[in-house]
Amino acid sequence: MLATNACAVMAKKGPDSKVMMAYGTFLISALSVYHFVANGEFSAILTLAVMLQCLAFALLAVQVMLTGSCSGVSARALTLDAWAFAFRLSSTTWLHGYLPVDASGDYVFQVVDVTSLFLVAWLLHQVLREKRRSYQEEQDTFPILPIVLGCILLGGIFHADMNARPIFDTLWLAGLFISTLAVFPQLWLISKTGGKVQALTSHYIACMAISRALSGVFMWHARFDITCDPWIEGFNHASWSILGAHALHLLCLGDFGYYYVKSVMAKGLTAELDLVQADMV
């Protein structure tokens, strides 16, 4: 009841100032990193991508704090994100194969990823312990163990050799694949609960998509620099696997992105997104 009332207050008054503050903080931080740390290097786009991911989880945390509820938040999606960050950090904290070549890859990139992992851990604690009564466990049923195991297997098959360490090359690519598929449990939960998405949840999903787009731009630009031991002579399976993962994420969110932009333009940043009603229009 309290969570419902809190959501109603948000719908009427809206956390415009808090949302704008979050975006403003991100913008100032991103510009500072780009200009003062990366010195305007193109590779900083990869750091900006992980900063957007961090913003996504921060917005989700703001929603949980404002509403006092974890309704609409998929613990299974967060679990996949935690695995993805852990796998990526196992490489990027001490190896340099998949880091931006500018100064932001020396420490900023890793600090942002660690911050995101802590936010994910906090959100999981809220969903599974502190606010479990509001967690929609019966609807959050998308199977994630096959995803983790399958991504590790695919990472072992298609990994690049940028680290020159097969285990950590495998873990990095597995982390990318898991992060790409982490959106599925969240979309599954939305579909099972009537298709309505709280404003900050929709911002979270949108930020993840924009982050993937930025990362994809960098990977496309660097596709000829990604090396591997090819299975087929003349075909770089690693670079196309990486690009394919980015494309899959964006394709899966194509419909959502259209209705999200339409809703924001028509109703503002605080509007609840109703995907069922949107499909009927």
Side-chain angles (χ1 to χ4, degrees), residues 23 72 218 260 263:
Y23 279 113
F218 175 84
Y260 171 80
S263 175

Side-chain angles (χ1 to χ4, degrees), residues 9 11 18 24-25 28 31 34 39 50 52 56-58 61 84 93 120 128-129 165 178 191 211 214 233 258 262 278:
V9 170
K18 294 181 177 62
T25 301
I28 292 171
L31 289 174
Y34 182 75
N39 293 318
V50 298
L52 263 171
F57 294 113
T93 50
V120 170
L128 299 176
R129 295 293 298 273
R165 295 174 181 267
I178 292 171
S191 69
S211 167
L214 288 178
E233 189 66 30
Y258 170 76
K262 185 177 178 180

Side-chain angles (χ1 to χ4, degrees), residues 34-46:
Y34 182 75
H35 286 289
F36 301 117
V37 179
N39 293 318
E41 293 287 338
F42 176 77
S43 62
I45 193 174
L46 200 57

